[in-house]
Amino acid sequence: MSILIAGNWKMNMTPAESAVLAREILSGMASIEKCCDVLVCPSHVALTSVRSVVDGSALQLGAQNMYCEPKGAFTGEISPGMLLASGCSHVILGHSERRHVLNESDEFINKKMKLALQSNLVPIICVGETISERNDGLTVDIIKRQLELGLKDCRPERADDLAVAYEPVWAIGTGKTASPDQAQQVHVYIREQLRSYYGKTAMSIRILYGGSVNADTIDSLLMQPDIDGALVGGASLKAVPFLALIRAGTKANNT
Ligand code: PEP
């Protein structure tokens, strides 16, 4: 399967600044032969400005979150229909900042997962342990719970309908990347879990790694057999470092 490099722009940049960055990324991609898959996830208010830049191009557009109902009296929330109408193909769900800062539960994330799948948006479900959970030897238990509850009753028809991102909480925005071995071990576990739910389809479900990925760490991460791409925060906020990751993804794809 093709490598995916996905940028999570979090709560950064105005719509105009987001469009400038998208344009810079797109123009850098133009000189990359057989480019890997690339996705950017701007803030909700920047989706339409970025869409006007990326429409019809190879740069895909995603959102950072959505609500678990299709419409109604949910002040401040955003629906899958709104995301689709804004040009999104993907939506990040269960990011650790939403789990830990905004207290989202596995059950809530599961409702969103089901609605995203029904709506033909590709959900990227994020899972990952905190440092104290890792130190207590609980990594596998945490990932098992987050996958089991988060993916309950989710039945993707094709492998491309869904992606998983392993994002150890201790590695997000901290400059500490999981070692390639640490990441691969968890990715293998995730793959096994997916296989127990979805059979051989699971072999082609993308499992991304996220957590302080940068140009120095990406190559060795992408060499691992079960790492199918990266979800990137900090290094996606400027064109030069993000394009370096896209080049690394392209090289891994073509070797
Ligand atoms: C993220 O927020 O998904 C992330 C991986 O951030 P960073 O790359 O900055 O650690």
Side-chain angles (χ1 to χ4, degrees), residues 25-126:
I25 294 169
L26 203 50
S27 78
M29 284 169 65
S31 61
I32 302 176
E33 225 181 296
K34 293 194 196 143
C35 192
C36 65
D37 290 341
V38 187
L39 170 74
V40 289
C41 303
S43 70
H44 290 150
V45 293
L47 287 171
T48 42
S49 68
V50 174
R51 181 198 199 166
S52 67
V53 174
V54 305
D55 224 9
S57 77
L59 183 51
Q60 301 175 73
L61 186 61
Q64 300 172 18
N65 183 39
M66 63 169 227
Y67 195 57
C68 62
E69 294 288 343
K71 64 191 286 193
F74 304 104
T75 302
E77 292 295 336
I78 194 155
S79 72
M82 292 169 185
L83 298 183
L84 287 165
S86 307
C88 292
S89 52
H90 291 67
V91 59
I92 300 170
L93 294 177
H95 189 278
S96 82
E97 286 145 18
R98 299 211 63 90
R99 290 179 187 268
H100 296 284
V101 183
L102 295 151
N103 292 321
E104 289 195 2
S105 67
D106 289 306
E107 291 72 19
F108 185 48
I109 294 161
N110 176 245
K111 284 191 191 159
K112 300 184 194 197
M113 286 293 298
K114 286 190 284 198
L115 184 60
L117 284 166
Q118 279 164 24
S119 310
N120 292 322
L121 271 169
V122 178
I124 303 175
I125 182 171
C126 302

Side-chain angles (χ1 to χ4, degrees), residues 8 10 95 97 167 171-173 210-213 231-234:
N8 173 11
K10 308 195 187 188
H95 189 278
E97 286 145 18
E167 298 210 304
I172 297 182
S212 299
V213 172
L231 180 55
V232 184

